[in-house]
Amino acid sequence: DQQVKQNSPSLSVQEGRISILNCDYTNSMFDYFLWYKKYPAEGPTFLISISSIKDKNEDGRFTVFLNKSAKHLSLHIVPSQPGDSAVYFCAASRVDNNDMRFGAGTRLTVKP
Amino acid sequence: DSGVTQTPKHLITATGQRVTLRCSPRSGDLSVYWYQQSLDQGLQFLIQYYNGEERAKGNILERFSAQQFPDLHSELNLSSLELGDSALYFCASSVWGALGETQYFGPGTRLLVL
C-alpha cells in the first residue's frame, strides 16, 4: 500500500526558473516530512524537512510547503540550477513510529 | 559523504545463492535501517535495528534477514535469491532532532542476480 505518492515520474525545467515537485500522502498520522535528493550511483541525501506544526520551511533556494488538509507537500527550488538535476524522493514518518515511507521519486532535469 | 558505509558496492550472483550486505552506521548512531530500491520503485523499507535489537519490520521477505552487532554494524542476508531481488540496497542511520528523525544513507550496494 503506497502511503506516499509522487505522481510525476519526471520534470524538466529551464535553468533559472522555478522547479516544483509534488508529493501526496494518505496517512493523516504522518507528522514529519522530508525531501531527499539522489544522484546516480549514490545514496539519497537529506535536503530539507518540515514538521506538521508548520506549513512552510525554507533553506536557501529550497522551500517545502505542507498543506495538511489536502495531505500534500511540495518542494520549490528557485532558481533551478543544472546541478539540481537528480531524483527527488519525498518521505513521511511519524515521530512515534520508525517506519518512514518514501515516494517513488521524481526525476528533475534542469536544462542550461 | 554521509558517514554511512556499505560494502560491497556491487555484487553479481546467481539465482538460488545467498549473499550478505554490510553496513556501518555513522559514529554514534544506534539505529540502522535497510531499504530496497528496485527499478522505477521508490525506497521500500525492509527492517530497522536499534542498538542491536530489531525495532521495526517493513516489506521484508522471509528469505531475507538482518542483524546488528555489538559494534553497531549491520548485515542484511539475502538467501535463495531470485531474479526479482536485483536492486539497490541502501542502509541508513539516523539522528533525532527536536521535531523528528533524519536518516543518512550509505552509497548502496547494487545487487544483480543472474
Side-chain angles (χ1 to χ4, degrees), chain A residues 32 36 43-44 98-99 102-103, chain B residues 45 48 55 90 101 103 105-106:
Chain A
Y32 189 58
Y36 285 84
N98 294 321
D99 186 2
F102 287 81
Chain B
F45 168 64
Q48 181 215 359
R55 176 64 69 90
F90 290 103
E101 181 187 31
Q103 295 184 12
F105 287 79

Side-chain angles (χ1 to χ4, degrees), chain B residues 4-16:
Chain B
V4 178
T5 61
Q6 286 186 251
T7 57
K9 195 163 186 175
H10 301 278
L11 198 49
I12 302 174
T13 188
T15 54

Side-chain angles (χ1 to χ4, degrees), chain A residues 31-32 34 36 38 41-46 49 51 53-54 89 93-95 97-100 102-105, chain B residues 9 33 35 37 40-43 45 48 55-57 88 90 96 99-108 110:
Chain A
D31 51 18
Y32 189 58
L34 309 93
Y36 285 84
K38 184 182 179 303
E42 295 182 15
T45 56
F46 170 72
S49 64
S51 163
I53 64 173
K54 300 177 78 172
F89 291 97
S93 69
R94 291 165 48 176
V95 173
N97 180 309
N98 294 321
D99 186 2
M100 186 176 291
F102 287 81
Chain B
K9 195 163 186 175
Y33 297 77
Y35 292 88
Q37 184 187 9
D40 294 331
Q41 295 292 315
L43 293 163
F45 168 64
Q48 181 215 359
R55 176 64 69 90
K57 227 170 186 175
L88 271 169
F90 290 103
W96 279 88
L99 298 174
E101 181 187 31
T102 300
Q103 295 184 12
Y104 294 88
F105 287 79
R110 182 175 292 278

